[in-house]
Amino acid sequence: MAKDKVEETKELEWALIPPREVSQVDGVFLEKNMCNNWDKIWNFQAKPDDLLIASYPKAGTTWTQEIVDLIQNNGDIENSRRAPIHLRHPFLEWVRVNSFSGIDEANAMPSPRTLKTHLPIQLLPPSFWEKKCKIIYVARNAKDNMVSYYYFQTMNKGLPDPGSWDEYFETFMSGKVMWGSWFDHVKGWWKKKDSHPILYLFYEEMMKDPKREIRKVMEFLGKNLKEEVLDKIVNNTSFAVMKNNPMTNYINDIEMNHSLSPFMRKGVVGDWKNQFTEDQNKRFNEDYEKHMADTSLSFFEEL
Ligand SMILES: Nc1ncnc2c1ncn2[C@@H]1O[C@H](COP(=O)(O)O)[C@@H](OP(=O)(O)O)[C@H]1O
Ligand SMILES: CCc1ccc(OS(=O)(=O)O)cc1
């Protein structure tokens, strides 16, 4: 089939996918199938050698996943291209109708397993704490995170339609988005790191000095790689390389319409300046002060 025809067929298929419904667990908005599957998710049995990558959606999860996978593979690029990222690291709470669930995939996977979640701290299955699993959490400044999430919701049928940017701004600020409030998420995980082995990474620091941050991940995983291997990992996890890597950009995911907005969109710090109005920025800054008054956590909004 001609490329244009393939694209047209994909567009039609995408338009026919019914939007997923949203429900709540303990006041946190989650996709309805996750809520219906909640007992199974909550009772998931983690193992002591599991590694969990946790984040608020669009904080740099996929980037962190690829870094972790390459470190675990001692920088073997071919090995890291063995499968799409979502198959290498089961997405714990994700339920796809008539298909896999993250829990089933995790249960079928041999150890040592690397898993992914966007759950806020209070909803993480307790076995991760009981088994003292290592966790890597990645956080991103709220403004860029919001913009990235907005574009992701426009292109992903697995998530609710975001409406206009102005509408979405209000939705995000109220925390009525999938996986809940950004504020509660980043603060909850930040607090927990004092009592549990959690490596807390920042998207902005990863942009500023990727090699330093990759070295942190390596040390946290108890690995010792040569400088040239670290350099190779830095190169292969750059935005440009990952954008062209079919294994890291969900190119064959039928629920994502990349012509509306690509999964690997801009990959920069400070893109919020192209999206926020002056009024929105003022409103945001006022609300932010209140929400963040009770934490030592701070972010860079530009580099
Ligand atoms: N190697 C990389 N370097 C910088 N940003 C990256 C990256 N890989 C992915 N991203 C960015 O991370 C965001 C997606 O995060 P997640 O994996 O959590 O969904 C997107 O942000 P933008 O939408 O701002 O471009 C994407 O472009
Ligand atoms: C499979 C659907 C899905 C939903 C949310 C995602 O978020 S993120 O890219 O990991 O931040 C990804 C895929």
Side-chain angles (χ1 to χ4, degrees):
M1 217 192 296
K3 199 168 168 233
D4 282 358
K5 209 70 201 148
V6 172
E7 287 308 316
E8 205 181 296
T9 313
K10 269 194 194 167
E11 293 277 325
L12 278 172
E13 278 173 2
W14 188 82
L16 289 172
I17 300 171
R20 301 282 203 101
E21 291 177 70
V22 173
S23 191
Q24 293 180 42
V25 174
D26 286 348
V28 175
F29 283 77
L30 293 175
E31 205 265 324
K32 202 172 175 187
N33 291 301
M34 292 181 204
C35 300
N36 295 341
N37 211 32
W38 188 251
D39 276 355
K40 195 167 159 184
I41 297 170
W42 183 251
N43 291 309
F44 173 73
Q45 288 307 302
K47 298 176 186 173
D49 60 354
D50 284 342
L51 173 72
L52 182 67
I53 299 173
S55 61
Y56 193 74
K58 312 318 286 175
T61 327
T62 315
W63 189 10
T64 308
Q65 286 177 263
E66 189 67 356
I67 289 171
V68 164
D69 197 51
L70 277 161
I71 292 174
Q72 289 168 333
N73 289 324
N74 304 315
D76 182 340
I77 312 296
E78 286 312 305
N79 195 341
S80 281
R81 295 196 179 199
R82 67 195 178 281
I85 198 87
H86 69 275
L87 295 181
R88 283 181 265 157
H89 304 152
F91 186 176
L92 208 60
E93 65 271 24
W94 195 253
V95 181
R96 210 167 263 248
V97 191
N98 301 329
S99 180
F100 63 83
S101 85
I103 298 285
D104 294 337
E105 281 187 354
N107 286 335
M109 185 174 247
S111 289
R113 310 178 291 190
T114 299
L115 311 168
K116 157 186 156 179
T117 188
H118 290 318
L119 290 171
I121 197 87
Q122 71 277 19
L123 296 187
L124 190 74
S127 63
F128 283 99
W129 311 127
E130 289 154 15
K131 299 286 163 29
K132 299 186 169 50
C133 300
K134 281 187 186 177
I135 301 177
I136 300 177
Y137 185 83
V138 58
R140 185 179 194 184
N141 81 77
K143 292 179 184 174
D144 283 330
N145 207 144
M146 187 196 303
V147 174
S148 182
Y149 206 175
Y150 169 68
Y151 284 101
F152 191 52
Q153 286 195 219
T154 63
M155 63 83 85
N156 189 343
K157 271 278 167 80
L159 304 174
D161 184 314
S164 69
W165 163 252
D166 289 351
E167 286 163 348
Y168 189 73
F169 179 86
E170 301 302 331
T171 312
F172 187 93
M173 293 307 282
S174 68
K176 290 181 181 163
V177 282
M178 293 259 284
W179 291 285
S181 147
W182 176 91
F183 299 98
D184 295 344
H185 212 285
V186 296
K187 286 195 296 183
W189 280 94
W190 180 251
K191 200 167 174 200
K192 190 74 181 178
K193 76 174 179 22
D194 298 334
S195 56
H196 191 91
I198 295 172
L199 176 68
Y200 201 105
L201 299 174
F202 294 90
Y203 181 97
E204 295 74 22
E205 297 292 343
M206 289 162 70
M207 288 294 288
K208 215 188 299 176
D209 193 343
K211 192 168 175 184
R212 182 191 62 205
E213 298 305 300
I214 290 172
R215 197 191 300 279
K216 271 190 204 166
V217 176
M218 176 193 81
E219 286 167 0
F220 184 70
L221 298 182
K223 300 273 290 187
N224 187 11
L225 303 175
K226 289 190 182 130
E227 287 302 302
E228 59 259 38
V229 176
L230 282 179
D231 288 333
K232 198 168 146 192
I233 296 176
V234 172
N235 286 329
N236 278 281
T237 55
S238 70
F239 180 78
V241 172
M242 282 183 59
K243 192 173 172 69
N244 284 315
N245 177 355
M247 298 303 174
T248 52
N249 60 33
Y250 289 87
I251 210 70
N252 290 319
D253 189 307
I254 54 155
E255 290 193 320
M256 297 193 197
N257 185 342
H258 296 260
S259 67
L260 291 178
S261 179
F263 182 82
M264 302 286 295
R265 199 179 56 92
K266 289 195 181 174
V268 295
V269 180
D271 184 43
W272 61 270
K273 291 179 190 167
N274 299 313
Q275 192 74 36
F276 278 50
T277 64
E278 254 182 57
D279 270 4
Q280 283 169 342
N281 194 32
K282 193 165 170 284
R283 262 264 330 271
F284 180 96
N285 290 342
E286 284 163 9
D287 275 22
Y288 190 86
E289 289 295 311
K290 289 181 207 148
H291 280 295
M292 302 299 274
D294 59 350
T295 178
S296 58
L297 180 58
S298 66
F299 288 85
F300 290 102
E301 290 176 356
E302 54 194 321
L303 290 184

